[in-house]
Amino acid sequence: MHLIRRIALATALLLIVAVAFLWWNKPKTTEMSAYAPADSLVYLEANSLTHITTAVAGTDAWIKLSPILEQQSGWAGPTLMRFSRWTGIGPIQSVIFSRAQVALVMLNLGASEEGESLKVRPEAALLIETHTSSRRIRAFTEETLKGLAENTFGTPSFKKVTTNGVEYLIWSAPTGTRQIVATVADSLVIVGNSEAAVNACLAVRQGKSARLSESPELKQMRGRLSASNALAFGFVSSANAARLATFAAPMLLGRPQTESGFGKIFSAAAAKIAGAIGWSAFLANGGIEDRYLISLQPTVVTRLRPAFDAKATGDVNLPLPRQPYSVSLYNFADPQVAWLSFESAILSQLDALSAAVFSELLRSALRPYGIDDPENFLKLVGPRTATVRLTALSERSVVVGSIRNKAGLQELLAARFPKRTPNTPIMETEDGESAALVIGEMLYLGSTADVGTCLQQLSHGEARSIVDDKRIFRQSTASVVTYADDSDRLRGFVSALMRANRSRETGFKADQIEEALASLRYAITETSLADDGIERRTRSPLGQFGALVAILFPADR
């Protein structure tokens, strides 16, 4: 009996020790924004890499592509991964992958003009909370980053530098100023493209700088986009949203970055109109759903409501070119009212000078199509409207719309499109760059070449309604619905995966891949006005994760 008691006691003790060991070693979720500087320009996080890989493995895209790429249908060893996560036992790469939380912070977005191009140089850092001791992860981190540096730079130089008790690992490209800089702080690995980026995050980790986790806007956006249940989450504060808008506007509007007066006006206007921006990603119906929210000031939302007044049932039976690269359907009850509401919402927030600048920018939106007076033009067209990009190389879209006042529209077009294409009903501008076509009760506006393509397809009965293509169309009451060919992003994902696995795409596989992509290629984005801003939901084969893989494994060094 004494022996049995001892065995039972020993067994119970072992169980207690095992449970305590598991409980002690089980990683607790860390608030990754507590490692990010409070003034981070852009913040992205993913709290479980295994959840992301499992979600991607469950998409229709992966199910169709993985046999062609000779990949497993899911990432191997889910049971082993769970064991490694709970216990910390196993190969170090499995332990880190199963436990890691990651965050990417962009701290600055510098740019310089080089000739006619604008070169962007973001300063960023990757934060990896390994939930594993620095003793175990240090060698693995160095070896992994060495491989990354060699793949990125070719033959980089390497040095270790210790400053104020902190050891930095630095790989530098043979030419230029590109670097990979890393340090290990307990269980946290910080990897940046500059020492300044690493030091900014390290200062937060050491409690010397303010952290992003204290932002009320961040907390509100987390709840608004269900970040606790998301595969990934992203955030831009209202202050930095204005900075990003200021940076992007010259590129979008074709103005030089050095035009400081325009930049100041745009920055001030953006701050009065927009608030914080958020993003989250979820697995949905065999694909990935990316949700975006662009917060707006309450008065702007109120003024925008007429612009986003969608019809109860969208009439999208428009004769469109077949197999377009993208189609945006505008589900507005009255295009003119929508335009005036949009204009009013923006101009109401601006001073006189800024309002004059923005008014001119808005009026110039349709000038590439030969239209100088948007208000009068939109009064003449009906509620069925779409913009169509025929190919990925098309410089601009074709405007396709129903006609409300045919006589008035023909009078307007006669003044703006005085030339005629021989033997066709196509009208052209004096410079021949833009054209208009009226067939029946439908209008087509765009480049002369694209409008010619539309006429050719209409004449041969090849144009059709988008509702006839079941791969593309889905019923929606959103104010704007965009269908976009996602095959380029999917193709980039496949190529990046092959580079990561050091494999080559054979001609036979290329045919199989293209066949698979053809059945997956369209992404659908719905844009609506919510109580606090503009909501966008994009359902696509792989979402932003497909683009991220292509970034991690670039085509060239």
Side-chain angles (χ1 to χ4, degrees):
M1 291 295 293
H2 290 292
L3 179 60
I4 294 175
R5 287 197 192 96
R6 289 176 182 174
I7 293 174
L9 183 61
T11 302
L13 185 59
L14 286 173
L15 285 173
I16 292 171
V17 170
V19 170
F21 173 80
L22 291 173
W23 181 259
W24 179 262
N25 280 276
K26 180 186 176 183
K28 297 177 177 60
T29 301
T30 296
E31 175 54 74
M32 292 301 292
S33 60
Y35 296 145
D39 60 352
S40 296
L41 196 60
V42 178
Y43 172 78
L44 304 172
E45 71 175 24
N47 286 320
S48 175
L49 298 179
T50 56
H51 287 171
I52 292 175
T53 53
T54 300
V56 171
T59 61
D60 295 339
W62 184 257
I63 291 169
K64 291 184 178 183
L65 289 169
S66 57
I68 304 171
L69 301 174
E70 299 178 356
Q71 298 287 324
Q72 296 178 354
S73 60
W75 272 257
T79 302
L80 177 60
M81 285 294 181
R82 284 194 293 270
F83 177 79
S84 295
R85 173 177 170 77
W86 270 78
T87 66
I89 297 173
I92 187 60
Q93 60 267 34
S94 297
V95 173
I96 292 177
F97 185 80
S98 65
R99 292 182 156 205
Q101 295 175 249
V102 298
L104 177 67
V105 292
M106 185 185 297
L107 302 168
N108 197 9
L109 192 59
S112 60
E113 293 185 21
E114 297 185 3
E116 296 183 354
S117 63
L118 187 69
K119 192 162 186 178
V120 179
R121 295 186 177 88
E123 193 170 57
L126 179 67
L127 308 169
I128 308 170
E129 175 51 79
T130 66
H131 296 285
T132 308
S133 68
S134 60
R135 177 183 56 80
R136 291 192 66 190
I137 64 176
R138 194 174 294 274
F140 176 77
T141 297
E142 183 173 339
E143 189 63 27
T144 301
L145 292 178
K146 176 185 175 185
L148 175 63
E150 290 173 349
N151 287 334
T152 305
F153 300 148
T155 54
S157 60
F158 172 70
K159 62 180 180 180
K160 290 184 180 181
V161 178
T162 300
T163 304
N164 298 325
V166 178
E167 182 182 70
Y168 297 88
L169 311 175
I170 304 174
W171 289 266
S172 302
T175 58
T177 59
R178 292 188 301 163
Q179 289 185 319
I180 294 176
V181 182
T183 190
V184 177
D186 297 326
S187 60
L188 178 68
V189 178
I190 307 174
V191 184
N193 59 359
S194 70
E195 290 185 55
V198 172
N199 284 332
C201 296
L202 186 61
V204 175
R205 173 69 175 78
Q206 295 171 338
K208 298 177 181 178
S209 296
R211 57 190 62 182
L212 184 62
S213 58
E214 299 168 354
S215 165
E217 285 185 333
L218 174 69
K219 296 174 183 177
Q220 184 177 8
M221 191 64 74
R222 282 191 187 282
R224 182 65 175 76
L225 292 178
S226 304
S228 59
N229 300 318
L231 297 171
F233 169 75
F235 171 76
V236 178
S237 68
S238 56
N240 285 324
R243 288 178 59 193
L244 288 175
T246 303
F247 180 85
M251 293 187 289
L252 294 174
L253 300 172
R255 290 172 176 263
Q257 192 76 20
T258 53
E259 194 173 325
S260 58
F262 170 77
K264 289 178 180 178
I265 291 174
F266 201 93
S267 178
K272 294 178 181 178
I273 296 169
I277 300 173
W279 162 73
S280 57
F282 302 83
L283 179 67
N285 300 322
I288 299 296
E289 180 177 280
D290 292 301
R291 301 177 188 174
Y292 306 87
L293 175 65
I294 304 172
S295 330
L296 298 173
Q297 300 298 333
T299 53
V300 175
V301 173
T302 300
R303 287 180 175 270
L304 278 178
R305 290 211 178 280
F308 283 82
D309 180 20
K311 295 168 292 184
T313 55
D315 181 1
V316 294
N317 190 26
L318 296 170
L320 303 175
R322 58 183 172 83
Q323 295 183 334
Y325 181 74
S326 69
V327 177
S328 291
L329 300 174
Y330 300 91
N331 189 24
F332 298 138
D334 188 320
Q336 185 190 32
V337 170
W339 177 273
L340 292 174
S341 298
F342 179 73
E343 184 178 44
S344 172
I346 294 179
L347 299 185
S348 66
Q349 304 301 305
L350 309 179
D351 57 46
L353 176 60
S354 300
V357 172
F358 267 80
S359 180
E360 175 59 24
L361 289 175
L362 290 173
R363 294 182 65 82
S364 67
L366 290 178
R367 268 190 202 133
Y369 298 94
I371 302 299
D372 281 331
D373 187 354
E375 293 177 21
N376 189 35
F377 169 74
L378 292 172
K379 181 173 65 177
L380 302 172
V381 298
R384 290 186 296 154
T385 311
T387 53
V388 184
R389 282 188 68 191
L390 301 188
T391 70
L393 299 178
S394 299
E395 291 185 3
R396 63 180 188 263
S397 299
V398 176
V399 176
V400 181
S402 58
I403 299 173
R404 177 179 297 171
N405 182 338
K406 193 169 186 177
L409 181 64
Q410 287 178 325
E411 182 180 349
L412 182 148
L413 295 178
R416 294 296 304 140
F417 300 86
K419 295 174 60 178
R420 294 294 182 273
T421 302
N423 304 317
T424 75
I426 295 177
M427 301 172 282
E428 298 180 26
T429 54
E430 286 286 2
D431 59 11
E433 295 292 327
S434 300
L437 171 66
V438 175
I439 292 187
E441 299 302 315
M442 297 302 303
L443 168 69
Y444 297 80
L445 282 177
S447 70
T448 303
D450 286 347
V451 171
T453 299
C454 292
L455 176 62
Q456 183 181 23
Q457 292 193 18
L458 288 165
S459 301
H460 290 83
E462 296 175 350
R464 61 178 178 176
S465 169
I466 196 172
V467 299
D468 297 329
D469 194 330
K470 302 306 180 186
R471 292 176 306 137
I472 304 176
F473 179 74
R474 57 171 287 167
Q475 197 66 246
S476 174
T477 57
S479 301
V480 182
V481 184
T482 299
Y483 306 87
D485 189 328
D486 209 32
S487 57
D488 284 344
R489 186 161 64 170
L490 288 169
R491 202 172 286 112
F493 168 79
V494 170
S495 298
L497 203 60
M498 288 183 167
R499 288 192 295 272
N501 293 332
R502 303 183 184 277
S503 59
R504 231 173 234 193
E505 186 177 324
T506 66
F508 176 70
K509 282 185 177 180
D511 293 340
Q512 289 182 303
I513 289 169
E514 289 303 317
E515 183 179 352
L517 295 184
S519 65
L520 295 166
R521 64 182 190 173
Y522 278 92
I524 303 172
T525 300
E526 297 172 299
T527 304
S528 304
L529 184 67
D531 292 337
D532 51 355
I534 295 176
E535 282 187 329
R536 288 171 62 88
R537 294 196 178 203
T538 298
R539 297 176 186 85
S540 60
L542 292 173
Q544 295 296 345
F545 297 126
L548 181 60
V549 171
I551 293 172
L552 292 176
F553 301 99
D556 49 26
R557 290 172 179 172

